[in-house]
Amino acid sequence: MTPPACTAHTLTDIATALRADLIGDGTIVVNAVAHPLMAESADTLALAMDGSAEHALAQTRAISAVVAEGRGVALARLKGGIVVHRPRYALAQLLELFARPPVVHRGVHPSAVIDPTATIGTDVSIGAFCAVGPGTRIGHRTQLLPHATVGAGVVIGDDCLIHAGARIGDRCVLGHRLILQPNVVIGSDGFGFVTPEKGSVESARETGRVEATNREIVRVNSIGIVVIDDDVEIGAGTCIDRATVGVTRIGRGTKIDNLVQVGHNCTIGENCLIAGTTGLSGSVTLGNRVSLGGGVGVSDHVSIGDDAVIVARAAVATAVPARQVWAGYPAVPHREFTEQLFSVRRAPRLLRDVQDLKQRLARLEQRMAHGD
Amino acid sequence: MTPPACTAHTLTDIATALRADLIGDGTIVVNAVAHPLMAESADTLALAMDGSAEHALAQTRAISAVVAEGRGVALARLKGGIVVHRPRYALAQLLELFARPPVVHRGVHPSAVIDPTATIGTDVSIGAFCAVGPGTRIGHRTQLLPHATVGAGVVIGDDCLIHAGARIGDRCVLGHRLILQPNVVIGSDGFGFVTPEKGSVESARETGRVEATNREIVRVNSIGIVVIDDDVEIGAGTCIDRATVGVTRIGRGTKIDNLVQVGHNCTIGENCLIAGTTGLSGSVTLGNRVSLGGGVGVSDHVSIGDDAVIVARAAVATAVPARQVWAGYPAVPHREFTEQLFSVRRAPRLLRDVQDLKQRLARLEQRMAHGD
Amino acid sequence: MTPPACTAHTLTDIATALRADLIGDGTIVVNAVAHPLMAESADTLALAMDGSAEHALAQTRAISAVVAEGRGVALARLKGGIVVHRPRYALAQLLELFARPPVVHRGVHPSAVIDPTATIGTDVSIGAFCAVGPGTRIGHRTQLLPHATVGAGVVIGDDCLIHAGARIGDRCVLGHRLILQPNVVIGSDGFGFVTPEKGSVESARETGRVEATNREIVRVNSIGIVVIDDDVEIGAGTCIDRATVGVTRIGRGTKIDNLVQVGHNCTIGENCLIAGTTGLSGSVTLGNRVSLGGGVGVSDHVSIGDDAVIVARAAVATAVPARQVWAGYPAVPHREFTEQLFSVRRAPRLLRDVQDLKQRLARLEQRMAHGD
């Protein structure tokens, strides 16, 4: 198979799209981007926005490149190029021009099983072996890759991209322009259990000791749903539980990475960034534009304020105010964490210092006692 | 689609089922439960068992509510209500009455592929695109949602609910009334590898240094199985490896949350609670009624005793006795952890104190030396 | 169903295969291996390579066993046995002889959907509901279990075993003899986002404070691929993101456990071992033969040198030199971590010591002041 041809662009067009400076021949046409050493022909625009890639321009087969502001000189031996102000943002814009979207089946694949009461928009793509339940509505131009499961009474907006093996449970509501990576789970039941009498965890929380035993564990059914607003992206294998009663909500524009757990009844604001393997317990509230690093944990019922940044691997057990940076286990303000870390690293020396002080003090005391 | 109508109940019936106190008109009929602000009509029973929800009763459209013991006064402006002793347990009972089970296909969906040598019980539901292997037995009334994979020689008991995309490997044995959330994996191969000569990890464990290199890595096949007892629930995306030889076992009534890793040859007792993103290495043993918080890690071959409670994010590297609460990295008894934490937080001040002591002591020593 | 009969072997054959010592009757034929207490008949070879299993030989129904070097005496009451030098390696060899590979469909299952432009090798097995995209090449004798999704333009080598529900994205390239456990995701999009102006995380990294807000979040498309070399195994639910541009690479012989996250543009060397629930951020580089314990986190752009061993749960935020053992949060050399741990454990006593020193010093100062 020939891979689907990418769109071709002139350097002038690219510079315009990026609002960047063009240097040299703007009529050069490129149809791909690559690291300078991976550029196989003159059709490829070399990406040389960091030092090592720029260095590699000396050996590239490309005849044009993108470089960072102030580094236009690196384009000297090429026929043309583009100088960008904020390289990572420019990369995003470039990769919008040279996107490689997944190859999808046009229309509804004959093997798909779609309930006759489901409503399917125009220009959708529904791949092999997709299952769509009764009463579900799928918006225009939305694409389902193979093996997606969409339950009953689900709403999916327009222009969504649902990758292979995503599971969307009954009655969940998804906005427009969502991207769900492969094997995402939306609407699994919450981890809700209760003991008829006080249980071991409750007693441990109250007293620090186990003074009760969980003779019987009773399930708390999840009858709520998950609502995901527009422009959200959810990473591969990530699981978002439905609410016990009501809604687990992911706000507009929020991006969640792979293998993240979002517990029942969480409320996540707009434009949050949640990195991989992070876990949110039940009823966590994130404000808007909150950033959680990789592997963060947040205890149940904890709130994190707008624009807060939680450093990777922090374990958040108490409320975090807006615009603060927190780190640690348990998490504390970053300055405090840094101070603690410094102290811990100094601790071995401190032990020796105190040992020394004890000896010297004992000597002084002895001398005083002897009246020297 | 009209969502399937929920069962309707009178307040009297609900009070009886919950063994709770009825206040006001017991003939009121409700067919749903919701937060007071989400209750859209008189048919909905408002849930007002915590302070903020109780406060919201002032604005509800509901005419009946559930409140906590001692808070019957909050029902004053409603036509009826129920007063419960232990709110969370009452919620579990209520949500049993108002459950919203997944919509399933009645009988075997024509698209399912079921090996002719498989034995299927009565009143089962097998959804679209399910695959059931040779020799497998599926019990009565068990429900498989779409895209479930059941291997060869598997046994699944009665009244199980297997959500979409669950994978059950060959020869695994599952009890009755199990719930497997979407994309659960049962019976993946263990992470078992060995180097022909001593490897880097072994040398690091013995000496703290890397004195060997893993020139060759040899696979240890997993020929064992996973056995899951009755009434177990397993969360979305959770993976349970089969034993190398013998059985990885999950005891009766145990509940496991999302994205949990259970290594080969683990033995988990009855009625344990394991929260999300926790990882158990190989050959871990949990007693009965053990609770693991979210993001806990347990090293291989470690045992945790009955009723022990491990705090979220703890890293357990040594045996935990029964009925203890442990926390920390590495985990220690909770009291010790709290003391360590206190010390770490005091450490910056301690550094300054010791600095001060050093100066004062030096002055004293000098004075003594000069014989002042 | 009778489970497929295992191959039968004589003790002599087994001893030869293992290069181990035979004791007693080499003509004994066995067709299974089991713990001594699980051995149901004389056809089963008892595994008694550790103390407790050896002890259990007193009650076994087996007539032959495998024991560790120096423990041949434990075979006294049996009819034959094998004495091995390195028990875990011997176990690997034994389980190669007594492997229980998954039951697969011979040939291509009629329900599979294979694009007519795909190229399928000889003697493949493609299970029920597998989807194979256009232009994809699948090597000889490779086996796909049910519900695997293989995208467009993918290359899969010979003799691979792809378990149920694995997702392989467009254009990814997989070598020979790979094993992908159930629900693996290869080629999900990277978690790449950028704000047009400096964002909150950038400001937090630079100053420790949030001095910017993420008003808009722009996606950085992933147009790269994942390349996996020969003899790699990837655990259940693990997700490997494709590169932004270029290649995310997993080197020959590397083994990755369950629920691991490998970010975009990571480069992982040969024969690495990565345990479960570990997370690698984007652009991480691992050398050859690196071992990561369970639940490790590695920050973006960090390199870990050849043969390094990272202890379970460590959070690696800076480069790790070759052949070092690191631990901690944040990770430091193991010796330093041990020292820190010792200090933290001593800290409560240190607090008391310093308190005592302060009092004694104050008394001395007072006496000096009074001229005693």
Side-chain angles (χ1 to χ4, degrees):
Chain A
M1 184 191 79
T2 316
C6 295
T7 323
H9 302 276
T10 64
L11 289 199
T12 298
D13 291 347
I14 295 171
T16 305
L18 271 60
R19 300 187 186 195
D21 294 331
L22 171 71
I23 291 195
D25 180 359
T27 68
I28 294 171
V29 174
V30 291
N31 58 27
V33 292
H35 186 276
L37 299 183
M38 303 295 286
E40 291 174 5
S41 72
D43 299 339
T44 298
L45 178 65
L47 300 175
M49 295 171 279
D50 65 68
S52 81
E54 187 188 310
H55 192 74
L57 281 181
Q59 295 159 266
T60 191
R61 290 184 192 168
I63 61 168
S64 63
V66 186
V67 297
E69 199 166 33
R71 307 299 309 158
V73 63
L75 297 170
R77 58 172 290 279
L78 303 180
K79 298 200 172 152
I82 290 167
V83 179
V84 299
H85 165 58
R86 184 164 158 76
R88 191 160 166 77
Y89 182 52
L91 181 64
Q93 296 171 297
L94 267 173
L95 295 181
E96 191 60 32
L97 294 176
F98 294 97
R100 299 289 303 266
V103 174
V104 299
H105 178 85
R106 299 272 174 92
V108 178
H109 194 277
S111 69
V113 169
I114 299 184
D115 190 274
T117 65
T119 309
I120 309 294
T122 57
D123 292 324
V124 300
S125 161
I126 298 188
F129 309 121
C130 285
V132 177
T136 285
R137 298 204 315 263
I138 296 183
H140 304 308
R141 297 170 304 280
T142 281
Q143 302 181 322
L144 274 62
L145 273 78
H147 296 114
T149 318
V150 183
V154 171
V155 176
I156 303 180
D158 299 337
D159 299 299
C160 293
L161 174 58
I162 314 286
H163 279 271
R167 316 293 169 200
I168 304 172
D170 291 2
R171 297 176 284 121
C172 292
V173 177
L174 279 60
H176 303 300
R177 297 175 302 279
L178 260 58
I179 300 176
L180 306 189
Q181 295 291 334
N183 287 353
V184 157
V185 176
I186 307 294
S188 36
D189 291 335
F191 191 65
F193 297 97
V194 61
T195 51
E197 305 302 326
K198 185 180 285 187
S200 59
V201 175
E202 282 163 279
S203 82
R205 283 190 176 187
E206 287 172 14
T207 68
R209 288 189 305 277
V210 174
E211 293 171 336
T213 190
N214 300 339
R215 291 195 197 290
E216 189 190 349
I217 296 177
V218 178
R219 186 174 209 266
V220 181
N221 287 325
S222 297
I223 67 168
I225 62 171
V226 177
V227 172
I228 305 184
D229 293 340
D230 298 343
D231 300 303
V232 166
E233 176 159 354
I234 300 187
T238 284
C239 300
I240 302 183
D241 285 348
R242 58 178 69 238
T244 307
V245 177
V247 171
T248 300
R249 182 179 295 274
I250 315 291
R252 192 187 54 76
T254 284
K255 317 297 183 189
I256 303 181
D257 197 0
N258 297 351
L259 295 171
V260 170
Q261 146 75 349
V262 177
H264 57 280
N265 293 80
C266 283
T267 301
I268 298 181
E270 300 187 355
N271 280 341
C272 293
L273 290 168
I274 303 180
T277 77
T278 282
L280 307 188
S281 305
S283 301
V284 166
T285 302
L286 304 190
N288 296 319
R289 302 173 303 280
V290 171
S291 289
L292 307 183
V296 163
V298 185
S299 299
D300 54 291
H301 291 91
V302 165
S303 288
I304 301 183
D306 291 350
D307 296 298
V309 172
I310 310 297
V311 174
R313 293 271 150 171
V316 183
T318 52
V320 176
R323 297 180 73 86
Q324 291 207 353
V325 183
W326 280 41
Y329 167 62
V332 291
H334 191 258
R335 184 163 309 206
E336 209 174 304
F337 175 69
T338 309
E339 213 178 34
Q340 283 177 13
L341 208 60
F342 175 78
S343 306
V344 166
R345 288 185 171 164
R346 284 286 298 258
R349 195 160 124 194
L350 190 68
L351 274 180
R352 290 192 296 271
D353 281 358
V354 170
Q355 211 52 40
D356 176 59
L357 284 174
K358 280 159 89 170
Q359 288 171 1
R360 285 160 57 193
L361 187 61
R363 274 198 296 271
L364 274 193
E365 286 169 337
Q366 212 169 6
R367 286 181 60 187
M368 293 286 283
H370 293 147
D372 302 345
Chain B
M1 182 190 84
T2 316
C6 296
T7 322
H9 303 275
T10 65
L11 289 199
T12 299
D13 290 348
I14 295 171
T16 305
L18 271 60
R19 301 188 185 196
D21 293 331
L22 170 71
I23 290 194
D25 180 359
T27 68
I28 294 170
V29 174
V30 291
N31 58 27
V33 292
H35 186 276
L37 299 183
M38 302 296 284
E40 292 174 5
S41 72
D43 300 339
T44 298
L45 178 65
L47 300 176
M49 294 170 280
D50 65 69
S52 81
E54 188 189 308
H55 192 73
L57 280 182
Q59 296 159 265
T60 191
R61 291 186 192 166
I63 61 169
S64 63
V66 187
V67 296
E69 200 166 34
R71 306 300 310 158
V73 63
L75 297 171
R77 58 172 289 279
L78 303 180
K79 299 202 171 149
I82 290 168
V83 179
V84 299
H85 164 58
R86 184 165 159 76
R88 192 160 167 75
Y89 182 52
L91 181 64
Q93 296 171 296
L94 268 172
L95 296 180
E96 190 61 31
L97 295 176
F98 294 96
R100 300 288 305 266
V103 174
V104 299
H105 177 85
R106 299 271 174 92
V108 177
H109 193 278
S111 69
V113 169
I114 299 184
D115 190 276
T117 63
T119 310
I120 309 294
T122 57
D123 293 321
V124 300
S125 160
I126 298 189
F129 309 121
C130 286
V132 177
T136 284
R137 297 206 315 264
I138 295 184
H140 305 308
R141 297 170 302 281
T142 281
Q143 302 181 321
L144 273 62
L145 273 77
H147 298 113
T149 319
V150 183
V154 171
V155 176
I156 301 180
D158 299 337
D159 300 296
C160 293
L161 174 57
I162 313 288
H163 278 271
R167 316 291 170 202
I168 304 172
D170 292 1
R171 296 176 286 121
C172 291
V173 177
L174 279 62
H176 304 301
R177 297 175 301 280
L178 260 57
I179 300 175
L180 306 190
Q181 295 290 336
N183 286 354
V184 157
V185 176
I186 307 293
S188 36
D189 290 336
F191 191 65
F193 297 97
V194 61
T195 51
E197 305 302 326
K198 183 180 289 187
S200 60
V201 176
E202 282 164 279
S203 82
R205 283 189 176 188
E206 287 172 13
T207 68
R209 289 190 304 278
V210 173
E211 294 171 336
T213 191
N214 300 338
R215 292 196 197 288
E216 188 190 352
I217 296 178
V218 178
R219 186 175 209 264
V220 181
N221 287 326
S222 296
I223 68 167
I225 62 171
V226 177
V227 173
I228 305 183
D229 293 340
D230 298 344
D231 300 301
V232 166
E233 177 159 353
I234 299 185
T238 284
C239 301
I240 302 183
D241 284 347
R242 58 179 69 237
T244 309
V245 177
V247 171
T248 299
R249 181 180 294 275
I250 314 290
R252 193 186 53 75
T254 283
K255 317 297 183 189
I256 303 181
D257 198 358
N258 297 351
L259 295 172
V260 170
Q261 146 75 348
V262 177
H264 59 278
N265 293 80
C266 284
T267 301
I268 298 182
E270 300 186 354
N271 280 340
C272 292
L273 291 168
I274 302 180
T277 75
T278 283
L280 308 188
S281 304
S283 301
V284 166
T285 302
L286 303 190
N288 296 320
R289 301 173 303 280
V290 171
S291 290
L292 307 184
V296 163
V298 185
S299 300
D300 55 290
H301 291 91
V302 164
S303 288
I304 300 183
D306 291 350
D307 297 296
V309 172
I310 310 297
V311 174
R313 293 272 151 169
V316 183
T318 52
V320 175
R323 299 179 72 85
Q324 293 207 353
V325 183
W326 280 42
Y329 167 63
V332 292
H334 190 258
R335 182 162 310 206
E336 208 174 305
F337 175 69
T338 310
E339 214 178 34
Q340 284 177 13
L341 209 58
F342 175 79
S343 305
V344 166
R345 288 184 171 166
R346 285 284 300 257
R349 193 158 126 194
L350 191 67
L351 274 179
R352 290 192 296 271
D353 282 357
V354 169
Q355 211 52 41
D356 177 58
L357 284 175
K358 280 159 88 170
Q359 288 171 0
R360 285 159 58 193
L361 189 60
R363 277 199 294 271
L364 274 194
E365 285 169 339
Q366 213 169 4
R367 286 181 61 189
M368 296 287 282
H370 294 144
D372 301 345
Chain C
M1 182 193 82
T2 316
C6 296
T7 323
H9 302 277
T10 64
L11 289 199
T12 298
D13 290 347
I14 295 171
T16 305
L18 271 61
R19 299 188 188 194
D21 294 329
L22 171 71
I23 290 195
D25 180 0
T27 68
I28 294 170
V29 174
V30 291
N31 58 28
V33 293
H35 186 275
L37 299 183
M38 302 295 286
E40 290 174 4
S41 71
D43 299 340
T44 299
L45 178 65
L47 301 176
M49 294 172 280
D50 65 69
S52 81
E54 187 189 310
H55 192 73
L57 280 181
Q59 294 159 267
T60 190
R61 290 184 192 168
I63 61 169
S64 63
V66 187
V67 297
E69 200 167 33
R71 306 300 310 159
V73 62
L75 297 170
R77 58 172 288 281
L78 302 180
K79 297 200 172 152
I82 289 167
V83 179
V84 299
H85 165 58
R86 186 164 157 77
R88 190 158 169 78
Y89 182 52
L91 181 65
Q93 296 172 296
L94 267 171
L95 295 181
E96 190 61 32
L97 295 176
F98 294 97
R100 299 290 302 267
V103 174
V104 298
H105 178 85
R106 299 271 175 92
V108 178
H109 193 279
S111 68
V113 169
I114 299 183
D115 190 275
T117 63
T119 310
I120 309 294
T122 58
D123 292 322
V124 301
S125 161
I126 297 188
F129 309 121
C130 285
V132 177
T136 285
R137 296 205 316 263
I138 296 184
H140 305 307
R141 297 171 303 279
T142 280
Q143 302 181 322
L144 273 63
L145 272 77
H147 297 112
T149 318
V150 183
V154 171
V155 176
I156 302 181
D158 300 336
D159 299 297
C160 293
L161 174 58
I162 314 286
H163 279 271
R167 315 292 168 201
I168 305 172
D170 292 1
R171 296 175 287 119
C172 292
V173 177
L174 279 61
H176 304 301
R177 296 175 302 279
L178 260 59
I179 300 176
L180 305 190
Q181 294 292 335
N183 287 353
V184 157
V185 176
I186 307 294
S188 35
D189 290 335
F191 191 65
F193 298 96
V194 62
T195 51
E197 304 302 326
K198 185 180 286 188
S200 60
V201 175
E202 282 164 279
S203 82
R205 283 189 176 187
E206 286 172 13
T207 68
R209 288 190 305 277
V210 174
E211 294 170 335
T213 190
N214 300 338
R215 293 197 196 286
E216 189 191 350
I217 296 178
V218 178
R219 186 173 209 265
V220 181
N221 287 325
S222 297
I223 68 168
I225 60 170
V226 178
V227 173
I228 305 184
D229 292 341
D230 298 342
D231 299 302
V232 166
E233 177 158 353
I234 299 186
T238 285
C239 301
I240 302 182
D241 284 349
R242 58 178 70 236
T244 308
V245 177
V247 171
T248 299
R249 181 180 294 275
I250 315 291
R252 192 188 54 76
T254 283
K255 318 298 184 188
I256 302 181
D257 198 358
N258 297 351
L259 295 171
V260 170
Q261 147 75 348
V262 178
H264 58 279
N265 293 80
C266 284
T267 301
I268 298 181
E270 301 188 354
N271 280 340
C272 292
L273 290 168
I274 302 179
T277 75
T278 282
L280 308 188
S281 304
S283 301
V284 166
T285 302
L286 304 190
N288 296 320
R289 302 173 303 279
V290 171
S291 289
L292 306 183
V296 163
V298 185
S299 301
D300 54 290
H301 291 90
V302 164
S303 288
I304 301 183
D306 291 349
D307 296 297
V309 172
I310 309 297
V311 174
R313 295 271 150 171
V316 183
T318 51
V320 176
R323 298 179 74 86
Q324 292 207 353
V325 183
W326 281 41
Y329 166 62
V332 291
H334 191 259
R335 184 163 309 205
E336 208 173 305
F337 175 69
T338 309
E339 214 178 33
Q340 284 178 12
L341 209 59
F342 175 79
S343 306
V344 167
R345 289 186 170 164
R346 284 284 300 257
R349 195 159 123 194
L350 190 68
L351 274 179
R352 290 192 296 272
D353 282 357
V354 169
Q355 212 52 41
D356 177 59
L357 285 174
K358 280 159 87 170
Q359 287 171 2
R360 286 160 57 192
L361 188 61
R363 276 199 295 271
L364 274 193
E365 285 169 337
Q366 212 169 6
R367 285 181 61 188
M368 295 287 282
H370 293 147
D372 302 344

